Structures are given as structure tokens and as C-alpha cells.
Amino acid sequence: MKRKAKQEIEQEVVEKPEEEEQMEDVLENGDVDEEGQDVEEEYEEMEVEEVEGKTENGNGNVNANSHVNGERSTFKVLGNQEMKNLETLKVTSSWVQNATTFSATIDSSTSQKLSKIDLPEHLTVPSAISTWFPVQFSVLPTLFSEISSPPALRPRDVAIAAPTGSGKTICYVLPVLAAVGSTPSNKLHAVILVPVQTLVSQIVDEFRR
Ligand SMILES: Nc1ncnc2c1ncn2[C@@H]1O[C@H](COP(=O)(O)OP(=O)(O)OP(=O)(O)O)[C@@H](O)[C@H]1O
């Protein structure tokens, strides 16, 4: 179908809703329009144009509402006219896919005895701690062993995702204290970044315990 004819049909559909109803009736009955062209065929062609993202509106801009099976299939970069096909992106990185998982529940069945982790000699656990929470038991043994026996290659980063209040702070407080050793020097040992200031005093308290 020629572009002009398609625009005319679009305008008819937008400006004359009652005629749209008539068109639907015609479609159901498999009728033809005044010009003798099969109306159903016209609609099908319009849908194909929309899926391909090439339908033009009255301003000559390309219509970005292209959908396949109800999902958007194309997009337009601002300032450009061409439609681009959406590509499936793999957003989960390998370190997330291969992550060590642990229980998000803290109870007697998921907590571990203190004796299950060998602490550096100069470190003692605060009296309020009688068991290791799941996240601590998953992280601390590896970090302590890398501090006492540093690997040939620099240790990789550790990223932890665990619910609030699950005990993540101790996962870096104890390793930092272990790395500093029993006789701290004045040099910078660690930098801790937190998103809000109130967390700073909580972390300082955790170090002092
Ligand atoms: N093994 C433990 N046994 C008992 N209490 C603990 C243990 N580990 C941490 N806590 C206490 O639980 C509370 C929450 O711990 P923490 O602040 O480390 O959680 P968090 O995961 O860092 O939370 P947020 O995501 O809000 O920073 C703190 O008061 C902390 O002292």
C-alpha cells in the first residue's frame, strides 16, 4: 500500500471513531471498502508497518510504539529517526551467577558456633556475639585465611548482598582489625564508604566493641 493511502486510513481511524466501528464490522464480515480494496488486508499491512517501526505520524515522525506479542520490539535513540531492534542483554554478570549463597534467615539452625572460625590471635569476639550469622560464616574464614597467608595474586573483591541487620558490618570490621594487627601504626589501613552519615557512628561503635 502506498504511504499516502496508509496515512489517510490512520487519520480516518483517529478522527472518526464511529467510522472505525464501521470498519471493524466490515472486517468481521470480510467486506471491502469503497475503493474496492480488502479492508482486512489494509489493517494487516498497517500492523506490519507498526511492528517494523516505520509508521509515520502526522508530523512525519516515526512511531516508536512497536510491539510484538504485547512487548516493545524496537526503540528510537533521541535525535534519530531510525528505529532499532531491541537486543536481549545478559545483565547478570558471572560473579553473580557463580556467587556463594547462604541463608537469609538467622536462627539456631543457620547460625554457626564461634569455634568454627579460627580467629587471628589478637582478636576477640564481642561478648554479645555467641554464634556466627550465616553471612559471617560464609565470608570470614576466607578473608582471615587470605590475611594470615596472603595469596600470590592480590585477593579479588568481595561483594555481599544480604538483608539489613544480617551482620554484614562484622564481615569487614573483623578482617580490617585482623589486617591492622595487634600494634596499629599511623598509616592508612582501610577506607570505609557509607551512603549516609548516621551509619558512620554505628560502624565506629562496631569497631570499638
Ligand atoms: N553474630 C552476631 N550475633 C549477635 N549479634 C550480631 C552478630 N552479628 C551482628 N550482630 C548485631 O546485629 C546488628 C545488625 O548487624 P549489622 O549492623 O552488621 O547488620 P548489617 O547487615 O550490616 O545491616 P545494614 O544492612 O543495616 O548495614 C548489630 O547490632 C550487630 O552488633
Side-chain angles (χ1 to χ4, degrees), residues 15-120:
E15 292 167 9
K16 299 175 185 173
E18 68 278 6
E19 287 187 25
E20 185 182 2
E21 285 177 20
Q22 290 170 3
M23 259 186 165
E24 284 172 359
D25 288 339
V26 169
L27 275 174
E28 283 173 13
N29 299 325
D31 213 338
V32 295
D33 65 6
E34 288 174 9
E35 294 171 358
Q37 180 162 5
D38 188 305
V39 176
E40 190 167 4
E41 190 183 314
E42 289 180 10
Y43 261 87
E44 281 174 1
E45 286 186 28
M46 287 169 63
E47 283 171 11
V48 169
E49 285 280 316
E50 276 198 74
V51 168
E52 291 174 354
K54 292 174 183 168
T55 306
E56 289 184 1
N57 62 22
N59 301 323
N61 292 327
V62 176
N63 185 352
N65 294 324
S66 304
H67 292 78
V68 172
N69 297 330
E71 291 182 13
R72 185 182 289 272
S73 63
T74 57
F75 69 96
K76 182 170 68 175
V77 178
L78 283 177
N80 292 327
Q81 290 299 312
E82 309 84 43
M83 299 299 294
K84 295 193 170 195
N85 289 328
L86 280 181
E87 291 175 23
T88 305
L89 294 179
K90 199 173 170 185
V91 292
T92 311
S93 52
S94 60
W95 61 268
V96 170
Q97 286 174 349
N98 302 324
T100 302
T101 56
F102 49 83
S103 174
T105 309
I106 299 173
D107 59 25
S108 56
S109 66
T110 57
S111 298
Q112 300 288 336
K113 288 180 184 170
L114 291 185
S115 59
K116 288 210 169 183
I117 296 181
D118 291 329
L119 285 176

Side-chain angles (χ1 to χ4, degrees), residues 128-133 136 163-170 206 209:
I129 294 181
S130 56
T131 56
W132 296 116
F133 288 167
Q136 296 159 353
T164 190
S166 58
K168 296 185 293 292
T169 311
I170 281 179
E206 207 70 48
R209 289 209 299 163

Side-chain angles (χ1 to χ4, degrees), residues 143-150:
L143 294 182
F144 285 146
S145 90
E146 286 183 350
I147 289 164
S148 60
S149 324

